[in-house]
Amino acid sequence: MTTVLFVCTGNICRSPIAAGLLAARLGSSGPAVRVDSAGILDLDVPSPPEVIATGNDLGIDLADHRGRLITLADVREATLILGMTRKHVREVVMMDPSAWTRTFTLRELVRRGQLMRPRDANQSLEDWLVFVNHGRRMVDLQGKSRKDDIADPLGGSMRGYRIAAETISGLVSELVRLAWPGLPDRDAQ
């Protein structure tokens, strides 16, 4: 089974929103995909009310979500790992260097997929990721560029939560179009 793992800092805001959106967009009639999320910090706290409200606005229920720490088993079992920032990708790759070719920021994978091409109907997700990974360099994870990061709204205004959620929503929709072509647009339903 394909497993997609979203990673953020505390696993209480960005990654659970992304996971909930992807699971909803793939739907029960879509491909067999397990979607999960984890954080690089062990907070073990519920998502804040702003995240729950934002999730509700997007049609996902995060009321029972609690942040959890990413494990080496999570990394090894995931077919695709999507960090919200380059820091999250660095942390995953430090845990398991072999995860590099299947670990991207959400923005980076969407950008690279748009530049290359969507996955072919007869192409496995793993093969598409190898294709999209072509030309990436680990050294590009260094430095302070934030072009592929999704800002953390935690502790900010409700507007900040909405902007982050809308950004994630758009990127997840584009990810579905690129990585799971041929699925109906559940965003429009």
Side-chain angles (χ1 to χ4, degrees):
M1 174 181 277
T2 297
T3 301
V4 178
L5 177 67
F6 288 94
V7 180
C8 69
T9 304
N11 185 228
I12 57 174
C13 185
R14 293 168 291 175
S15 61
I17 287 174
L21 288 168
L22 181 60
R25 300 231 168 97
L26 293 177
S28 59
S29 62
V33 178
R34 183 174 151 265
V35 183
D36 202 357
S37 66
I40 61 172
L41 295 180
D42 190 9
L43 297 184
D44 189 30
V45 297
S47 291
E50 297 88 349
V51 172
I52 294 168
T54 303
N56 289 339
D57 292 344
L58 295 170
I60 55 174
D61 182 4
L62 299 172
D64 294 330
H65 179 80
R66 289 187 73 82
R68 73 175 190 87
L69 181 64
I70 190 171
T71 67
L72 185 55
D74 291 328
V75 173
R76 290 188 173 156
E77 292 168 9
T79 310
L80 171 59
I81 304 165
L82 295 164
M84 297 294 113
T85 69
R86 288 172 24 163
K87 178 181 179 178
H88 303 137
V89 172
R90 283 192 303 263
E91 291 290 327
V92 167
V93 173
M94 284 180 8
M95 286 178 80
D96 182 2
S98 72
W100 165 248
T101 58
R102 56 194 166 83
T103 306
F104 302 80
T105 68
L106 177 56
R107 276 191 200 273
E108 177 193 21
L109 181 58
V110 166
R111 178 174 41 80
R112 294 181 71 81
Q114 289 169 333
L115 289 172
M116 303 239 180
R117 65 171 162 69
R119 182 174 137 204
D120 291 332
N122 60 351
Q123 185 178 35
S124 71
L125 180 62
E126 293 88 342
D127 287 345
W128 184 70
L129 293 173
V130 169
F131 174 74
V132 173
N133 189 61
H134 183 74
R136 284 175 80 214
R137 304 172 315 155
M138 268 196 224
V139 72
D140 292 335
L141 290 176
Q142 297 175 351
K144 299 192 187 271
S145 172
R146 297 192 185 275
K147 77 176 185 175
D148 287 328
D149 292 357
I150 297 169
D152 190 351
L154 197 61
S157 69
M158 190 63 190
R159 182 175 182 274
Y161 285 93
R162 286 191 181 108
I163 289 170
E166 289 168 8
T167 299
I168 292 167
S169 180
L171 289 166
V172 166
S173 291
E174 185 64 2
L175 173 65
V176 170
R177 186 189 75 77
L178 292 165
W180 290 277
L183 283 182
D185 184 2
R186 296 189 196 295
D187 233 4
Q189 296 175 351

